[in-house]
Amino acid sequence: QVRLVESGGGLVQAGGSLRLSCAASERTFDSYAMAWFRQGPGKGREIVAAISWSGDSTNYADSVKGRFAISRDNAESTVYLQMYNLKPEDTAVYYCAASTITGTAATLRGYYTYWGQGTQVTVSS
């Protein structure tokens, strides 16, 4: 069982920045692909960014390309999501996810086995 704990959410004005962190309990973290998903009010859960087990490969949703950056520190079993130039439409609960199926930067929700509880990000206009 992999436990994922997100932190770093909050309220920020449009144009501001936040960094989300996700700490994993599993020592084999460095073999898992990791991703961030989000679910906005009245919307389904969507991919934000994914990163391969090594960190060498990343994928992003078109809506966040150039504004968000995913990274990982395998020594600390932590994955990060740095968010810049935040927009009101980025308002959502952000979830960290781990894949025990693939080590590639998969973007499909079905690849992800374990999920965190989520952290709220609210961007005011």
Side-chain angles (χ1 to χ4, degrees):
Q1 186 78 11
V2 179
R3 183 166 176 257
L4 302 173
V5 179
E6 301 101 336
S7 61
L11 174 65
V12 64
Q13 289 187 330
S17 301
L18 280 176
R19 188 175 83 153
L20 305 183
S21 300
C22 172
S25 62
E26 180 64 42
R27 280 184 285 181
T28 55
F29 168 87
D30 60 3
S31 65
Y32 301 155
M34 299 294 296
W36 289 94
F37 288 76
R38 69 185 180 187
Q39 188 163 8
K43 299 180 181 179
R45 196 170 296 190
E46 63 176 2
I47 185 70
V48 176
I51 189 166
S52 63
W53 69 272
S54 64
D56 289 346
S57 178
T58 57
N59 283 310
Y60 295 92
D62 288 344
S63 59
V64 306
K65 281 181 182 176
R67 299 189 299 121
F68 290 12
I70 189 171
S71 61
R72 65 191 297 161
D73 183 340
N74 286 343
E76 296 295 327
S77 298
T78 302
V79 64
Y80 303 97
L81 184 69
Q82 179 68 56
M83 305 184 291
Y84 299 102
N85 189 22
L86 282 158
K87 303 176 181 181
E89 51 263 43
D90 295 317
T91 294
V93 178
Y94 283 71
Y95 297 91
C96 174
S99 174
T100 57
I101 299 172
T102 182
T104 63
T107 57
L108 295 178
R109 183 175 173 179
Y111 280 103
Y112 291 90
T113 317
Y114 295 103
W115 295 81
Q117 293 292 95
T119 185
Q120 176 71 45
V121 172
T122 302
V123 184
S124 63
S125 57

